[in-house]
Structures are given as structure tokens and as C-alpha cells.
Amino acid sequence: AKTATGGLNGDDESYLGRFEYGADRYGVRADYLKVGNQFNPEVGLVRRADFRRSAATLRFSPRPKSIRSVRKFTWEGGFENYVNSAGQTETRTWLAHFNTEFQNSDNFSLDGGANHELLVRPFNVAPGVTIPPGEYDFNDATIAYAFGQQRPVSGTVSLQVGGFYDGTLTAVNVSGARVAVLKQFSVEPSMTINIVELPYGDFTTRLYRARTDYAFSPRMFASALLQYNSSDNTYSTNLRYRWEYQAGSEFFVVYTDERDTSTPGYPGLRNKAFVVKINRLFRF
């Protein structure tokens, strides 16, 4: 891809090359991506400019016949490296991954990483906590267990510990969880807690979310999403009712609101909306 923008000349192209071999037992992947310093698509398709990304992974995933409870082991290692046009390494990560997939669809995994980050500007990581420019090297490790989706209670629980720039990070995460209360009623909770300790200040972020679904019939259901985010002090609610009154034709009722938990008493209202939507499909 190449762009042409007035006032931006040279280094205005982007390209990607990739090789991948993805057999069941062995896997290899290598790719190279360049985004020029003056590459400017102007439609929001580039999250990061001026970099050359090199990445590669090797995988070995045998299916042991001697261990009846294990379906597959996976060992994987790789790296990812970002270099800018000045030749500076902005981000470099070495990754090691081990996973055990059991016959009951549960998964146990271990991940380790060695990270290098270059900050060219101060990084405001939390209110009142700023990491100064410089080069940082730190390591981390994550242990996780995922319960198979066929279980009445499923989801992934993980713990991450290690460095974070020149401090430490401890993260507890519950994701993809689902509790089947009834055949037509389920609850999907999730939680992320990050405890960060830095020389410039300590902080903890919390994100709690719960989604519930109730199916009256295959064509009618109601759902609710509740979320609390400590990073921006918000509590939000989304309630939705959907009825497919005819194949391809739907009726929706949606209520949403967002509240500020930093205000005293009942959280102050930031915004709310009540929407009714109906569509009708005509076939000829």
C-alpha cells in the first residue's frame, strides 16, 4: 500500500510478507511488516506509525498416545521486534508458551516473556503516575487454567506476575466464564485486577463485568450487561430485549446508562438512552 498526502514526502508505503506452515504436529511462522513514517491512509487503519516489525514462532505439538488423559501438548517459542526508521528498537519480546489440552477439553498453560520497551515520551500510566522516558527491560510469567465449555461452569482463570517497566505487576483475570444456571438462563462473569508497584507510585485497576441471558424461545431473549471500571470511575448498564417476530424481522428495546462512581452517594449520571428499534424484511 502507498499513500499520497500533501506535505508528506517519501517513506509513504506499507507492506507485509509472511510465511506460515501450520500442520498439526509442527508449526512455523515468520513475517515482516513495514509502516513508513509518512504512510498516512487517513481512515484510521494505522495504530502505530514508523516501524519495521519482525516476528517468528516455532511450534511442536505432539499427541501422546501413552497418556490417556492428554489430547495434545504444545511447546511454542518466538519473538517480536519493532524498530523505527532511526534504527532504534522500540519494543522487543521473547515468548515461551506451553499448553496441555486434556481429553475433557480443559487446558492448562504457562507463558513467559522477556520484554524490552523504549519510551521516547513520558508515559502517563495512571492518574498521578508517570513513567519517565528511557529503556526498560523486564520479565513476566502467566499461569492459566481453562475449563471446557461443555461444563456447567466454564471459563479461564489466570495469574500474571513479573516486572512492569522498572516496577512490578500482579494481575488476576477471569475471562470467557459462563455459568449455566438453567437451560435457557446463563450468567457470564469476568474480572480483571491489576496491582502495579512503581517507584513513581502504586495503583490498582479493577474491571468487573457480568452478562446475563435469558431465552424465552429460540426467537426471543433478554440480556443484561453490568460493568464497573475503576480506571475511569464508571458503572454502566445495558439492558436489551430482542424478538424476531418473523424470520429476518426483529424488534429491539434497549436501555443504557453510565454513572460516575467518584461522586458521593448514588453514582452520578453521565448519560443514558432508551431506544426502540424495529425492522421488517420484505422478500420478493
Side-chain angles (χ1 to χ4, degrees):
K2 183 178 176 66
T3 62
T5 305
L8 300 179
N9 300 310
D11 200 18
D12 55 3
E13 73 279 351
S14 175
Y15 53 82
L16 167 68
R18 174 176 295 160
F19 169 82
E20 185 168 4
Y21 174 77
D24 183 69
R25 188 176 179 86
Y26 301 99
V28 179
R29 175 172 171 168
D31 59 64
Y32 181 84
L33 169 65
K34 177 196 173 183
V35 176
N37 188 35
Q38 307 295 344
F39 181 72
N40 182 34
E42 299 192 280
V43 288
L45 299 178
V46 177
R47 296 182 179 180
R48 183 171 183 166
D50 184 24
F51 70 88
R52 285 81 173 142
R53 173 185 177 270
S54 303
T57 58
L58 295 174
R59 173 178 56 81
F60 175 55
S61 48
R63 297 180 181 270
K65 296 181 179 180
S66 59
I67 307 177
R68 298 183 61 182
S69 61
V70 174
R71 182 178 300 166
K72 180 191 287 189
F73 288 121
T74 298
W75 286 270
E76 191 170 13
F79 76 93
E80 187 176 40
N81 192 63
Y82 288 83
V83 178
N84 60 28
S85 57
Q88 297 175 303
T89 298
E90 296 184 345
T91 300
R92 182 177 59 244
T93 303
W94 291 91
L95 297 172
H97 171 74
F98 170 74
N99 185 79
T100 301
E101 181 183 354
F102 298 98
Q103 293 290 356
N104 61 4
S105 296
D106 288 4
N107 282 268
F108 170 78
S109 64
L110 285 171
D111 292 89
N115 309 281
H116 173 84
E117 291 286 346
L118 169 65
L119 293 183
V120 296
R121 294 184 298 272
F123 177 25
N124 184 19
V125 66
V129 181
T130 301
I131 302 174
E135 294 190 62
Y136 299 88
D137 293 284
F138 53 95
N139 305 324
D140 61 9
T142 303
I143 182 171
Y145 195 92
F147 298 90
Q149 295 186 359
Q150 82 283 0
R151 296 180 179 272
V153 178
S154 61
T156 301
V157 180
S158 66
L159 172 67
Q160 179 185 355
V161 294
F164 183 74
Y165 292 89
D166 52 353
T168 61
L169 166 67
T170 302
V172 180
N173 186 51
V174 177
S175 62
R178 185 178 184 273
V179 181
V181 182
L182 299 171
K183 184 177 181 180
Q184 70 273 29
F185 177 58
S186 64
V187 179
E188 300 175 10
S190 64
M191 175 189 73
T192 301
I193 300 176
N194 295 300
I195 303 171
V196 179
E197 297 179 352
L198 292 166
Y200 328 104
D202 304 336
F203 65 93
T204 300
T205 63
R206 299 177 178 86
L207 176 65
Y208 305 114
R209 181 185 296 120
R211 176 187 174 91
T212 62
D213 288 284
Y214 186 87
F216 300 96
S217 70
R219 290 189 173 186
M220 182 188 301
F221 75 87
S223 65
L225 176 64
L226 309 176
Q227 177 175 291
Y228 167 71
N229 189 346
S230 67
S231 297
D232 54 3
N233 299 309
T234 59
Y235 172 76
S236 56
T237 304
N238 179 281
L239 307 175
R240 184 169 65 136
Y241 169 80
R242 173 186 177 271
W243 173 35
E244 188 176 7
Y245 59 92
Q246 186 172 313
S249 301
E250 300 166 308
F251 173 73
F252 291 92
V253 178
V254 181
Y255 171 79
T256 60
D257 74 15
E258 185 180 54
R259 296 182 176 273
D260 187 351
T261 61
S262 63
T263 59
Y266 188 71
L269 183 65
R270 288 186 175 180
N271 59 73
K272 67 177 178 180
F274 181 79
V275 179
V276 177
K277 175 184 175 181
I278 186 170
N279 60 57
R280 179 72 163 85
L281 176 64
F282 295 93
R283 303 189 181 204
F284 301 93

